[in-house]
């Protein structure tokens, strides 16, 4: 009897998910329709109860690119080792002043176009390298999250730019070059922090695989019942994030006493947010760590907008293997992970639960 009820509930949920998806207007469309409660498919069971919030005054570290190189290297390596996240400031030589504000404004403008104009771009196929939809895992997750997303594959091969929505096309294309300059500089610092040549990660093609996601988190009528993004780690090497002033990103930090709590990554004017991905934790042989993070809903009367580019190796042949970097391995520091191809790595990622750290565990020796 119980199994029959569960099957019925699953069937009902599948029908609701399908009906939502077929509106082609995303979560923004729900808000436009005037919903006063979060629909059942978006309700997460007690989403904020598991880990406490950080005590006042705790914040993710800051890395200042204007510091002398040894000091910037030390700051970046320390942040990647202890937190897996940091703010990057004084990157003006790499990103023109005001560019990220323009990018985020353009993403907002697209998401706030009339529903019919957005719907013309809506779809789950990524064959063209560009997609606009709500929740990439909508049909697999137990509960959907309160966000819509433009996704653009920027490398190893780039899509036809005409497929990117016109409202944000120029900004997306421009951000590719600027964010990659930032990622190159940060990867060099992190390599040097491991005692490696600054070009090590770039020579391993880690700047060539690029996926950009532009998230739009509409105002939510019941922010305590759903999430923007569930707790997860990023699978790749490095993430470069631009966020607007609304806030909602939280990072899970475990202190020296073994206490874990969620830390608000509050928007800092002019700062980018950088984080270590699962693959960099593996390549660094656990010197750097990939940590869980999430996006919580808020009571602001304004939608939150963010844009992230995930960097991954671009060389993906069956004879190209990744794992702990050879120069980090010794008799005193044996490899903690086995080697693998990117095909195996990506296959394992798409099979895992977004909310788990199973990807790293899958490749442990």
């Amino acid at each position: 009897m119980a199994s029959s009820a569960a099957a019925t509930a699953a069937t009902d949920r599948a029908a609701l998910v399908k009906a939502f998806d077929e509106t082609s207007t995303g979560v923004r469309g729900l808000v436009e329709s005037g919903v006063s409660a979060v629909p059942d498919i978006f309700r997460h069971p007690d989403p904020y109860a598991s880990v406490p919030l950080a005590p006042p005054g705790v914040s993710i570290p800051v890395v200042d690119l204007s510091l002398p190189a040894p000091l910037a290297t030390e700051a970046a390596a320390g942040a990647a080792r202890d937190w897996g996240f940091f703010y990057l400031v004084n990157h003006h030589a790499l990103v023109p002043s005001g560019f990220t504000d323009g990018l985020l404004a353009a993403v907002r403008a697209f998401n706030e176009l009339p529903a019919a104009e957005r719907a013309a771009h809506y779809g789950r196929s990524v064959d063209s390298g560009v997609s606009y939809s709500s929740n990439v895992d909508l049909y697999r997750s137990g509960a959907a999250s309160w966000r819509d997303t433009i996704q653009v594959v920027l490398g190893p091969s780039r899509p036809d730019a005409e497929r990117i929505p016109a409202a944000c096309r120029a900004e997306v294309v421009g951000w590719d070059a600027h964010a990659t300059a930032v990622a190159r500089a940060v990867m060099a610092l992190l390599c040097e922090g491991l005692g490696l040549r600054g070009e090590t990660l770039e020579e391993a093609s880690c700047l060539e695989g690029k996926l950009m996601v532009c998230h739009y988190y509409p105002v939510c009528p019941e922010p305590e019942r759903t999430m923007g993004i569930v707790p997860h780690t990023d699978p790749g090497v490095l993430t470069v994030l631009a966020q607007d002033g609304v806030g909602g990103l939280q990072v899970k930090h475990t202190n020296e006493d073994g206490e874990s709590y969620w830390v608000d990554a509050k928007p800092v004017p002019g700062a980018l947010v950088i984080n270590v991905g699962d693959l960099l934790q593996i390549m660094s042989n656990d010197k750097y760590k990939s940590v869980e993070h999430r996006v919580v809903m808020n009571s602001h009367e304004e939608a939150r907008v963010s844009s992230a580019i995930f960097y991954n190796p671009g060389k993906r042949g069956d004879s190209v293997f990744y794992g702990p970097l050879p120069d980090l391995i010794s008799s005193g520091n044996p490899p903690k992970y086995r080697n693998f191809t990117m095909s195996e790595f990506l296959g394992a990622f798409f099979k895992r639960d977004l909310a788990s750290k199973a990807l790293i565990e899958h490749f442990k020796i």
Side-chain angles (χ1 to χ4, degrees):
M1 200 71 170
S3 61
S4 176
T8 300
T11 300
D12 290 346
R13 176 177 175 77
L16 291 171
V17 166
K18 186 171 184 291
F20 162 72
D21 201 31
E22 289 181 347
T23 67
S24 298
T25 56
V27 178
R28 169 71 178 171
L30 294 176
V31 174
E32 290 169 326
S33 73
V35 293
S36 58
V38 171
D40 287 346
I41 64 170
F42 292 92
R43 295 197 176 202
H44 292 247
D46 209 3
Y48 304 117
S50 59
V51 175
L53 297 178
V58 176
S59 177
I60 68 173
V62 176
V63 174
D64 187 341
L65 274 188
S66 69
L67 290 173
L71 295 180
T73 295
E74 181 181 358
R81 181 181 61 247
D82 299 335
W83 282 78
F85 266 80
F86 54 87
Y87 295 112
L88 187 73
V89 300
N90 289 325
H91 45 72
H92 312 302
L94 305 174
V95 182
S97 177
F99 189 92
T100 55
D101 289 341
L103 167 70
L104 298 173
V107 172
R108 181 183 298 278
F110 167 75
N111 282 276
E112 295 179 357
L113 287 172
E117 293 184 42
R118 298 198 314 277
H121 294 275
Y122 195 92
R124 298 202 167 271
S125 172
V126 295
D127 291 346
S128 70
V130 180
S131 67
Y132 161 62
S133 66
S134 184
N135 287 254
V136 68
D137 59 345
L138 179 67
Y139 289 89
R140 303 191 308 272
S141 65
S145 295
W146 200 257
R147 73 178 185 279
D148 301 324
T149 302
I150 304 167
Q151 181 173 284
V152 184
V153 178
L154 296 169
S157 58
R158 294 181 61 161
D160 178 359
E162 293 299 311
R163 294 187 175 275
I164 302 171
C168 56
R169 183 181 302 146
E171 291 79 6
V172 166
V173 172
W175 183 230
D176 178 16
H178 298 313
T180 298
V182 169
R184 177 179 289 110
V186 171
M187 285 186 190
L189 293 177
L190 295 178
C191 286
E192 291 162 1
L194 293 170
L196 305 173
R197 292 183 304 108
E199 301 80 15
T200 301
L201 287 171
E202 183 171 1
E203 289 174 353
S205 77
C206 293
L207 282 172
E208 296 175 15
K210 298 179 283 187
L211 173 66
M212 182 176 185
V213 295
C214 301
H215 293 312
Y216 180 86
Y217 305 87
V219 174
C220 184
E222 295 180 297
E224 73 284 355
R225 292 188 178 274
T226 189
M227 303 195 76
I229 297 181
V230 297
H232 67 286
T233 59
D234 291 347
V237 175
L238 195 75
T239 304
V240 176
L241 172 75
Q243 59 173 343
D244 67 6
V246 173
L249 175 65
Q250 293 183 335
V251 175
K252 190 176 182 181
H253 179 62
T254 302
N255 65 19
E256 294 177 352
D257 297 324
E259 300 170 317
S260 295
Y261 37 69
W262 290 107
V263 180
D264 285 319
K266 295 179 179 179
V268 173
L272 296 171
V273 178
I274 308 293
N275 69 277
V276 171
D278 295 344
L279 192 50
L280 183 51
Q281 177 169 332
I282 291 171
M283 295 175 80
S284 72
N285 209 34
D286 281 352
K287 295 297 184 184
Y288 297 147
K289 62 182 179 182
S290 174
V291 302
E292 285 189 309
H293 49 288
R294 67 185 186 182
V295 174
V296 302
M297 301 311 302
N298 56 66
S299 56
H300 283 76
E301 293 303 316
E302 183 180 12
R304 177 180 186 259
V305 177
S306 69
S307 180
I309 297 186
F310 307 106
Y311 290 88
N312 303 276
K315 294 180 180 176
R316 299 181 178 182
D318 290 339
S319 61
V320 181
F321 289 86
Y322 298 91
L325 293 166
D327 288 346
L328 298 179
I329 302 306
S330 65
S331 57
N333 185 37
K336 296 179 172 64
Y337 303 92
R338 62 181 176 84
N339 290 336
F340 47 83
T341 64
M342 278 304 293
S343 294
E344 183 186 1
F345 183 82
L346 293 171
F349 167 69
F350 286 114
K351 289 178 182 176
R352 75 175 186 146
D353 176 358
L354 180 65
S356 76
K357 290 199 71 171
L359 187 60
I360 283 179
E361 297 298 323
H362 179 76
F363 293 103
K364 275 193 172 178
I365 293 176

